[in-house]
Amino acid sequence: MSRTINEIFVHCSATRRDWMSDQSTEAKRDEIDRWHRQRGWKGFGYHYLIDRDGTVIAGRPEEEIGAHVSGHNAHSIGICLVGGHGSNENDKFADHYTSLQEGSLSELLDKLEAKYPGAVVRGHNEVAAKACPGFNVKRWLRGPRKILSETRTGKGGAVAVVGTGIASIADVADQALSAAHDVSAMADALPALRWIGVALTLAGVGLMLYARWDDLKAGDKGR
Ligand SMILES: [Zn+2]
C-alpha cells in the first residue's frame, strides 16, 4: 500500500566526521538502528542513509511510516546524512558534509520529487527546535542544489555553471543578511543581485563574440 507523501525531511546522524570511518554504510545503519531501538522505536527510523563517500542505502521501505520527525512521520520520507556533529541550523552544507554527499542527496531528491510531485523538501530544524540537519535546507535548495540538479539534467548547461558563481554571491549576501537579523527588509534585493550577475555574464559573452568578429574582419583586410 502506498502512502501519500507531502514532505521529504533531511536529517543528520549528528556523528563526528571520522565516526566508524573504517566501516561500511550498512554497519553505520545497523549502529543507528541500535540507537533507535534503544529509544523504543522499531528500528532505523529513516528511509535513506547517505554516507560520507556518497553511498546511499535504504532504511525503512518508502511505503512504511518512518520515525524521524515528531508529528510529520505519516506522510513523509526521511533522509539521514552521516555527519553533522556540532552543527548549527544556519551553517552551510559544506561546513559539515562532503561534496559526494551533496551530489547524492541532490540526485536522491530529484528521484523522490519525481515520484512524489508536490512534496516539500525540508530540514528537521524547520519543524523542531533542533540544529538537525545542521544547515539551512531552504537556502541550500535555492543555491547549490538547484545548480547540481540543472547541471545533471543538462537543463542549465553552461548557464548553470556560470550561475554557480552568481548564486554563491547571493548566498553569501543571504547569510550576511541573516546574520544581521534583517532578512525581511533586504531579502527582496537578492533576486535582483542574481540578475545583475546574469546581465554581467551576458555582457561578457557579447564582448567575446565581438572581439572574435573583429579578428575575422582584420583577417579579411590582411588577405
Ligand atoms: Zn533530524
Side-chain angles (χ1 to χ4, degrees):
M1 199 185 75
S2 71
R3 294 189 292 143
T4 303
I5 300 298
N6 49 36
E7 289 175 304
I8 299 167
F9 281 98
V10 182
H11 296 269
C12 69
S13 60
T15 47
R16 294 177 188 278
R17 266 163 219 279
D18 57 352
W19 175 71
M20 291 180 75
S21 57
D22 56 340
Q23 300 193 46
S24 68
T25 310
E26 284 78 8
K28 291 170 190 169
R29 180 190 55 202
D30 293 347
E31 179 62 11
I32 296 170
D33 181 70
R34 270 189 286 279
W35 301 343
H36 287 182
R37 282 178 199 282
Q38 279 166 10
R39 291 188 203 174
W41 302 342
K42 51 172 190 168
F44 192 82
Y46 311 106
H47 297 92
Y48 292 97
L49 182 65
I50 304 181
D51 209 344
R52 309 287 300 174
D53 66 355
T55 302
V56 181
I57 62 166
R60 289 197 192 189
E62 287 176 28
E63 313 82 64
E64 220 175 279
I65 294 177
H68 53 96
V69 194
S70 174
H72 294 257
N73 285 316
H75 301 291
S76 71
I77 296 283
I79 302 168
C80 179
L81 292 161
V82 174
H85 177 85
S87 59
N88 292 302
E89 61 178 320
N90 282 318
D91 288 350
K92 277 193 279 188
F93 188 98
D95 292 341
H96 304 285
Y97 306 101
T98 68
S99 56
L100 293 167
Q101 285 179 299
E102 190 161 44
S104 293
L105 175 61
S106 176
E107 219 168 306
L108 178 58
L109 289 174
D110 281 356
K111 284 181 203 153
L112 293 172
E113 285 177 324
K115 190 169 172 185
Y116 306 109
V120 180
V121 179
R122 317 179 80 174
H124 191 181
N125 54 25
E126 289 175 46
V127 298
K130 290 171 184 272
C132 175
F135 63 99
N136 185 311
V137 173
K138 280 206 159 60
R139 198 178 291 148
W140 178 77
L141 289 171
R142 283 200 305 266
R145 191 273 169 123
K146 191 164 183 283
I147 287 131
L148 279 170
S149 182
E150 284 174 353
T151 307
R152 192 166 46 251
T153 55
K155 276 181 206 150
V159 178
V161 176
V162 167
T164 312
I166 294 146
S168 40
I169 291 167
D171 194 42
V172 168
D174 201 6
Q175 293 209 347
L177 291 173
S178 300
H181 298 288
D182 193 22
V183 188
S184 54
M186 298 280 291
D188 291 343
L190 288 174
L193 184 62
R194 285 199 177 86
W195 281 114
I196 290 166
V198 170
L200 283 173
T201 308
L202 288 175
V205 170
L207 269 174
M208 195 188 71
L209 288 174
Y210 180 74
R212 281 203 184 170
W213 179 66
D214 230 30
D215 283 347
L216 282 174
K217 269 201 316 189
D220 279 340
K221 274 180 203 157
R223 203 151 24 127

